[in-house]
Amino acid sequence: MNPALAFLRSDSGKRLGACLGLGVALALMTGATGRQDDYLYAIKEDLFTFHLIENLLIGVVVWLLFTFWPVIRRYLTRPGALGLLAGAMTVIVAQTVLGWYEPEDAKFSGLATLVGDTNGISALSSAFFGWLAWAQLIAVIVVGAAALVLRNRALFWVGAAMAVAAAIIASQAHKKVDELAGVVDHATGVTVAVWGYLTIAVALAIAAISTDDVARTREFVNAVLGWRPGFALGAAATALALYSLGVSSWFAPKSLNATLADVHSLFKGTSLAPIAVQYFIWLSWALVIVAGALVLVAAYFRSIILGIVGAAAAAVGLVITMISIHAITSLAANSENTYATKGPWQNLGDGAWWTCASFLALAAAGLVVAQSALKGRSATAADAAHDPSAGPRFLYAPGATLAVLGAAAAAAIFIPPTLEPSWQTALVTSIGIYMFLAIGLNVVVGWAGLLDLGFIAFYAIGAYTTAYLVGSLPVKPPFELPVLWAIPFAIAVCLIAGVILGFPTLRLRGDYLAIVTLGFGEIVRLVAVNSNGITNGPRGTEDQVPHPVINLGFVKFTFGLDQLPYWYLLLAVMVIVIIFFRRLENSRTGRAWAAIREDEVAAQAAGINPVKYKLLAFAIGASTSGIAGVLFATNVGFFNPDNFKFEFSILVLAYVVFGGMGSLPGAIAGAAVLTWLPEFLRDQVPSEDRQMYIGAVLVIMMIFRPAGLIPAKRRATELRGHGPDSAESQAVPAGGGLGGSYA
Amino acid sequence: MTSFAKAGTDSAPGAQPAAGVAFDVQDVTLRFGGVTSLNHVSLQMRRGEILAVIGPNGAGKTSLFNSLTGVYAPQEGRITLQAREGDEPVSVIGMKVHKVNHLGVARTFQNIRLFPALTAIENVKIGIETRQKSGPVSAMLGLPWQRREEHASTKRALELLSFVGLAHRANDIAGSLAYGEQRRLEIARAMGTNPSVLLLDEPAAGTNPVEKRELADLIKRINVEDGVSVLLIEHDMKLVMSIADRLVVLNFGQKIAEGTPEQIQRDPAVIAAYLGTTDEDAAKAELEAQPELRRIELLTDEERERENEGETL
């Protein structure tokens, strides 16, 4: 037979055909939009231009990846390979999908055209946007890949240096363009590209100095965190603080962008409190250096006392920083000059908040040092039984969990104030609320293993209960409650609703249960739509649900339209819920759920009453969405049944699965990432394509990391199977799928 | 031996079983559609004994276990349970599985049914904790009695794990344990519920000779030290004969013999059942010609191992 024909009929040939078909489909998807006067316009434009060739090349690359996967896979497990890959993908995404120039709403190619059409642009910028951007990316990838294949240390360093240079070139080229245009540009493209290059640089540098035992990401991260517990966090926090003090903006009303030093001159001669005056001259530097040095030295020598002292110094630094920034903002708010601000805590620059975050992280680092030093001294044989490498935990280095918690707390408290108002709104109304829902659904789906497709119904019940109790519905309660008092009632009503749903459905399993819960969700929504006399029907709440007021006697705070206070309220409630659920997961109730999920017959034979525990799961899961309902209702004021559509139930389920079924941090991370992504893509891609990108992320994630973003300890093993060869699979860290080595 | 069963059959429904009897099975018939899995089976299990149920594959042994533990509800007959001295005798037919467990009956499964994604110690703790009281609210608030119970459960679980020789694997994922270890872990989980009657469904299947000896020793210890009555399904005749006080032989859903190991080994009906012939004389002749058949081995260990892997994978 003709050899070409034989190749086409082989598996490999068929695969090539499929991949080329994929290229054609991609070309049509990303190409020109159709025209009514010429129906074939899009096809002609896409298939008879260079555009098609680009996409066919992608198809060929995919085919090569498939065909040589066993070979590629071997190299992928080498140190630095995944970092190189991730960084390169990031740069490619930045240079294709993301926006690069806000005033013109232009992506990289759009900006490149603009630059090409403009005279007087610096040589660097015209070169970068002309050809250098892609050339430097290819050069970095080639050098990095060569270093990986040859295992050449010198080449690794060359690649890392090239990546750093590429990052500098990209940022400088973009900066020159912005300077020439003289506009404010919030486009994220160049920042993401720089982060991509820096990722490559770090990955290659790690590869250059790595030995075999830190070859995997998981081992490497743990080696870094475990070298001197608390050191990594302390060093990162100190570096961020020094950067903030030196360079960042501290006070930014109107067009002003004052650094720390500028603030000092700006407030010279005003009635600023003495401590704040000193703070802006030297105290801030002294605090950072003293606290940072204390923590780092403590970490290096594993000293308990120094660690506690360092943490205390950082806490003092945090308090003084907050006093100082409060002093300048309240002074500015009361003054008559041009830089008057709206009120205390307003118009602060990123640097002020980053410094606060750094101090908090430093304090956490000090505690990590003390805690792990304390643990190290009292280590016993019982602890040795908890051999960390045996478990599927991602972070097993001593103190790693506390360090991550500290960093997360610092970020959660002090990063939101630096965000733009639109992002603060997104943070509260979608990210924060859906985190709650994901936490609740995780109990039902992840822990008890009951597939619930109508979870949003409990959220609706919580929101409508709140609206009823504060008198915002046509039916009035016997006495109106302050809105935060509705929380216990909403929880109680959702608990009961959970039991009502659970009771008749408990004999059902799997798909059948899913369909019944789906029906329940729709029933609740339709009742809300059709009960005009009770819920005011599709028009939604009659009166506004009031914003909360916190009155503790000595301090009174009224929430308003500013979203930030809601974030802190959410955060406080969420911390409580997380602590409670963490304990629940590791209690007899949590284990009973796991037992029912794993094998209901065996659970019964061991004496577990499955009916009781399934009802508990429904009720407890529903209760968190009750809390979410209250917070949502009081935040938005007005809502209607459209806020509780079926698709939201599916989305919450997707967050839980994406994050890692049965994993509390996973559910939170999944909700955070998947609610953040659409908000992020809003400015980057055409709105009709947005869902496509989210779908693509889900598909890729489920192929390469089927156990989710942060797999559950108890679930991670399930996907790996446990046969006679399980000893072998135990040797590979958690992950599974094609990217098993990723974890 | 048979006098026990006869006495039971004659007694009126709801009558007290004879003293010292844990399970009183009277004339039980279990059908699945047209298939009769248990056909008028009567047997009695005395408190404190090791009673083995043997029989060829498909004889109804596991159906008997499932009827005793409430998984199946036989259409005819009575099963009365009085696990502990002084308990009220109750009928387990139609009773929920977990209720039967709470009356003092624990079991293991033929095809191991652990909670594979959980650690060994968690598996055992689940069994222990079904006897505890603290609920989800006390767990969330971390109340002192909940912590005490949690501590007690961990302590008892570690004791049980070392009792079955798995203390060193406490924090390993149950699914990653070796086959024999999984069998012993299942026994530890069952023992966690502090049973008076322990039902073991082929505990030695797929284990090697050394593990079998250890297992026989373990069952003996459970019986003697903890005073737990053991009902055992097992194909390994050497094991059965070495530990069982009495044997019941099932074939095609019917009880064909009952007695001490010595009696059973000589019983022509049993030999006929195992050799697949109805000619008792031929069987006797066979037995005399080949004395090693006294250790009735239907399958070699390797064959059983293969069979069991086929079931669980």
Side-chain angles (χ1 to χ4, degrees):
Chain A
M1 205 198 296
N2 184 339
L5 207 63
F7 171 74
L8 283 180
R9 301 184 90 168
S10 70
D11 278 353
S12 189
K14 284 177 192 163
R15 221 178 283 134
L16 178 61
C19 289
L20 292 178
L22 177 95
V24 174
L26 256 180
L28 287 171
M29 272 165 74
T30 58
T33 320
R35 271 191 196 169
Q36 281 203 329
D37 55 346
D38 181 1
Y39 284 112
L40 292 177
Y41 173 76
I43 293 175
K44 279 190 286 193
E45 275 296 298
D46 293 336
L47 298 193
F48 302 109
T49 57
F50 181 68
H51 186 64
L52 176 68
I53 298 171
E54 283 173 355
N55 288 287
L56 286 180
L57 278 177
I58 294 178
V60 172
V61 169
V62 171
W63 175 72
L64 287 172
L65 276 176
F66 265 112
T67 312
F68 296 101
W69 182 247
V71 182
I72 296 164
R73 202 187 158 107
R74 270 212 307 281
Y75 290 108
L76 273 184
T77 56
R78 289 197 178 168
L82 285 168
L84 177 64
L85 195 66
M89 293 300 289
T90 310
V91 177
I92 290 172
V93 167
Q95 292 185 179
T96 51
V97 179
L98 301 184
W100 277 65
Y101 189 61
E102 202 179 44
E104 294 282 330
D105 209 6
K107 296 192 190 313
F108 181 80
S109 55
L111 184 56
T113 320
L114 279 175
V115 168
D117 294 346
T118 315
N119 293 323
I121 282 212
S122 74
L124 179 72
S125 296
S126 59
F128 179 78
F129 287 102
W131 53 275
L132 188 58
W134 291 105
Q136 69 178 15
L137 175 63
I138 292 168
V140 168
I141 293 175
V142 167
V143 172
L148 273 171
V149 173
L150 302 172
R151 287 183 189 270
N152 183 324
R153 266 174 218 276
L155 215 48
F156 273 124
W157 285 119
V158 172
M162 282 173 67
V164 172
I168 294 169
I169 289 173
S171 65
Q172 286 305 314
H174 187 262
K175 200 175 166 190
K176 290 255 162 62
V177 172
D178 272 356
E179 275 170 7
L180 191 74
V183 291
V184 182
D185 188 0
H186 291 111
T188 48
V190 68
T191 319
V192 174
V194 166
W195 275 107
Y197 278 122
L198 291 182
T199 308
I200 297 178
V202 170
L204 294 182
I206 287 167
I209 56 173
S210 80
T211 52
D212 278 340
D213 39 320
V214 289
R216 294 180 186 285
T217 325
R218 179 170 174 252
E219 273 69 21
F220 178 77
V221 170
N222 281 291
V224 169
L225 290 174
W227 174 63
R228 289 283 190 275
F231 195 88
L233 180 62
T238 312
L240 178 64
L242 292 175
Y243 175 81
S244 311
L245 293 182
V247 188
S248 303
S249 143
W250 274 68
F251 186 57
K254 309 226 166 67
S255 59
L256 186 75
N257 243 343
T259 61
L260 188 76
D262 297 339
V263 170
H264 168 59
S265 43
L266 198 66
F267 284 87
K268 201 173 260 175
T270 59
S271 59
L272 194 62
I275 190 164
V277 175
Q278 298 308 312
Y279 184 87
F280 289 104
I281 301 174
W282 62 275
L283 190 54
S284 50
W285 290 93
L287 285 166
V288 168
I289 291 166
V290 168
L294 276 172
V295 168
L296 293 182
V297 169
Y300 189 82
F301 292 106
R302 300 174 195 271
S303 157
I304 298 174
I305 295 168
L306 272 183
I308 292 171
V309 171
V316 169
L318 176 60
V319 171
I320 294 179
T321 305
M322 292 187 72
I323 290 173
S324 305
I325 60 181
H326 182 260
I328 56 167
T329 46
S330 45
L331 195 68
N334 296 327
S335 73
E336 300 287 321
N337 73 18
T338 39
Y339 297 131
T341 61
K342 283 177 279 173
W345 306 114
Q346 304 293 326
N347 297 46
L348 284 163
D350 296 348
W353 295 114
W354 286 347
T355 308
C356 291
S358 308
F359 274 124
L360 187 57
L362 263 181
L367 293 180
V368 171
V369 173
Q371 185 229 23
S372 38
L374 209 60
K375 247 193 191 162
R377 280 184 199 174
S378 63
T380 56
D383 290 334
H386 289 268
D387 182 15
S389 54
R393 286 173 66 109
F394 183 81
L395 289 172
Y396 56 75
T401 316
L402 190 60
V404 169
L405 280 180
I413 295 172
F414 292 115
I415 299 302
T418 67
L419 300 176
E420 289 166 38
S422 66
W423 272 105
Q424 291 181 351
T425 308
L427 190 65
V428 173
T429 54
S430 51
I431 300 180
I433 296 275
Y434 277 95
M435 276 183 187
F436 261 107
L437 294 177
I439 291 172
L441 186 61
N442 182 49
V443 174
V444 185
V445 179
W447 289 349
L450 306 165
L451 185 52
D452 187 345
L453 292 184
F455 195 67
I456 214 76
F458 298 118
Y459 177 46
I461 290 170
Y464 273 106
T465 306
T466 313
Y468 169 73
L469 289 172
V470 299
S472 299
L473 293 181
V475 277
K476 299 296 175 196
F479 48 90
E480 289 183 11
L481 284 173
V483 68
L484 287 182
W485 282 96
I487 290 180
F489 291 95
I491 292 176
V493 171
C494 283
L495 279 171
I496 295 165
V499 173
I500 291 173
L501 167 65
F503 210 71
T505 55
L506 281 170
R507 62 193 72 227
L508 303 173
R509 288 186 196 182
D511 331 358
Y512 308 103
L513 178 69
I515 299 300
V516 173
T517 53
L518 190 158
F520 176 77
E522 283 301 278
I523 289 169
V524 168
R525 187 179 67 84
L526 289 173
V527 165
V529 170
N530 292 311
S531 313
N532 280 319
I534 302 169
T535 64
N536 206 21
R539 276 158 305 171
T541 47
E542 202 172 53
D543 304 313
Q544 191 189 2
V545 178
H547 295 307
V549 177
I550 292 179
N551 192 351
L552 297 172
F554 57 94
V555 58
K556 188 169 184 235
F557 184 80
T558 312
F559 289 67
L561 292 174
D562 186 10
Q563 294 292 327
L564 210 50
Y566 292 97
W567 168 249
Y568 292 118
L569 179 65
L570 266 171
L571 200 62
V573 181
M574 200 179 310
V575 167
I576 296 172
V577 169
I578 289 171
I579 292 172
F580 278 8
F581 277 23
R582 190 96 236 173
R583 287 176 171 173
L584 195 59
E585 187 187 5
N586 294 314
S587 75
R588 71 183 269 257
T589 311
R591 278 187 288 269
W593 281 334
I596 293 170
R597 185 192 70 214
E598 295 279 302
D599 189 333
E600 194 169 331
V601 174
Q604 278 177 297
I608 290 171
N609 181 355
V611 173
K612 180 181 150 193
Y613 281 98
K614 284 181 179 179
L615 277 180
L616 258 179
F618 267 117
I620 291 175
S623 66
T624 57
S625 36
I627 302 174
V630 177
L631 297 174
F632 168 75
T634 178
N635 179 264
V636 298
F638 293 97
F639 59 87
N640 63 41
D642 272 352
N643 292 99
F644 313 108
K645 279 192 291 200
F646 169 64
E647 63 174 281
F648 296 119
S649 290
I650 302 300
L651 283 178
V652 180
L653 184 64
Y655 303 156
V656 172
V657 175
F658 182 86
M661 263 210 270
S663 151
L664 199 52
I668 296 165
V673 170
L674 285 187
T675 45
W676 165 81
L677 190 64
E679 301 290 338
F680 174 72
L681 288 176
R682 192 188 295 281
D683 302 329
Q684 313 294 344
V685 299
S687 59
E688 59 266 31
D689 288 359
R690 201 143 59 112
Q691 297 301 326
M692 184 181 81
Y693 286 96
I694 296 168
V697 168
L698 284 177
V699 168
I700 291 169
M701 181 73 183
M702 286 301 111
I703 291 173
F704 285 96
R705 220 173 148 76
L709 215 53
I710 306 174
K713 190 167 68 116
R714 284 176 182 154
R715 282 266 190 175
T717 44
E718 277 173 53
L719 287 155
R720 278 185 284 157
H722 10 257
D725 59 348
S726 62
E728 192 191 318
S729 60
Q730 285 290 310
V732 182
L738 293 172
S741 58
Y742 201 94
Chain B
M1 294 308 117
T2 44
S3 62
F4 259 113
K6 290 236 171 74
T9 322
D10 296 337
S11 64
Q16 293 278 327
V21 173
F23 262 119
D24 189 11
V25 178
Q26 294 297 339
D27 212 20
V28 161
T29 301
L30 175 70
R31 293 186 204 92
F32 295 103
V35 180
T36 305
S37 193
L38 293 175
N39 193 357
H40 298 286
V41 172
S42 295
L43 61 92
Q44 284 185 319
M45 182 193 186
R46 298 172 201 151
R47 275 197 283 280
E49 74 173 345
I50 298 180
L51 176 65
V53 179
I54 63 169
N57 284 340
K61 304 181 297 294
T62 300
S63 293
L64 176 68
F65 260 41
N66 284 337
S67 303
L68 293 180
T69 50
V71 178
Y72 296 157
Q75 285 84 354
E76 292 170 29
R78 284 185 295 116
I79 302 175
T80 315
L81 169 68
Q82 194 182 11
R84 299 179 188 94
E85 196 79 51
D87 277 2
E88 200 58 30
V90 284
S91 164
V92 299
I93 294 179
M95 190 182 266
K96 291 260 164 47
V97 177
H98 68 271
K99 287 246 171 75
V100 178
N101 175 279
H102 279 259
L103 290 171
V105 179
R107 70 170 292 183
T108 67
F109 293 87
Q110 186 180 356
N111 47 346
I112 303 172
R113 298 187 87 145
L114 287 167
F115 309 121
L118 275 57
T119 61
I121 191 165
E122 282 176 326
N123 268 274
V124 182
K125 281 175 89 171
I126 284 170
I128 296 166
E129 283 160 355
T130 55
R131 299 302 186 271
Q132 293 184 338
K133 294 275 172 285
S134 66
V137 175
S138 56
M140 285 196 222
L141 298 174
L143 298 179
W145 56 83
Q146 189 268 339
R147 290 183 178 214
R148 263 201 304 278
E149 280 195 347
E150 178 82 33
H151 185 73
S153 142
T154 308
K155 192 160 159 264
R156 176 82 183 122
L158 281 171
E159 279 170 21
L160 281 169
L161 282 174
S162 42
F163 181 69
V164 300
L166 286 175
H168 61 295
R169 308 218 57 174
N171 289 310
D172 289 349
I173 298 295
S176 73
L177 298 185
Y179 205 76
E181 290 177 323
Q182 294 198 5
R183 292 249 173 236
R184 277 183 282 148
L185 180 58
E186 225 188 352
I187 294 175
R189 182 180 69 190
M191 290 299 292
T193 65
N194 208 6
S196 305
V197 180
L198 181 61
L199 277 60
L200 301 174
D201 199 343
E202 298 199 23
T207 56
N208 64 37
V210 179
E211 287 177 322
K212 270 183 188 138
R213 268 200 298 283
E214 287 169 0
L215 187 73
D217 182 51
L218 179 66
I219 297 171
K220 273 277 183 208
R221 270 160 55 214
I222 289 171
N223 182 245
V224 176
E225 291 174 18
D226 297 329
V228 175
S229 329
V230 178
L231 186 58
L232 176 74
I233 294 179
E234 188 46 68
H235 278 295
D236 186 276
M237 289 305 144
K238 201 168 150 193
L239 179 77
V240 170
M241 299 301 170
S242 69
I243 61 171
D245 297 320
R246 290 193 306 133
L247 280 85
V248 168
V249 188
L250 293 181
N251 193 22
F252 294 114
Q254 284 177 308
K255 187 172 83 177
I256 57 169
E258 185 172 355
T260 62
E262 294 73 34
Q263 290 169 321
I264 295 297
Q265 281 174 24
R266 288 182 182 79
D267 194 316
V270 177
I271 294 159
Y274 269 86
L275 294 178
T277 167
T278 50
D279 190 350
E280 294 183 9
D281 291 335
K284 260 184 193 162
E286 185 101 3
L287 191 63
E288 274 152 23
Q290 290 175 276
E292 65 269 26
L293 272 177
R294 288 181 181 208
R295 282 178 46 224
I296 305 165
E297 298 258 14
L298 273 186
L299 297 168
T300 64
D301 281 349
E302 288 78 5
E303 278 170 338
R304 285 219 57 75
E305 208 160 335
R306 233 174 288 140
E307 193 181 284
N308 275 299
E309 273 170 18
E311 279 164 10
T312 48
L313 287 183

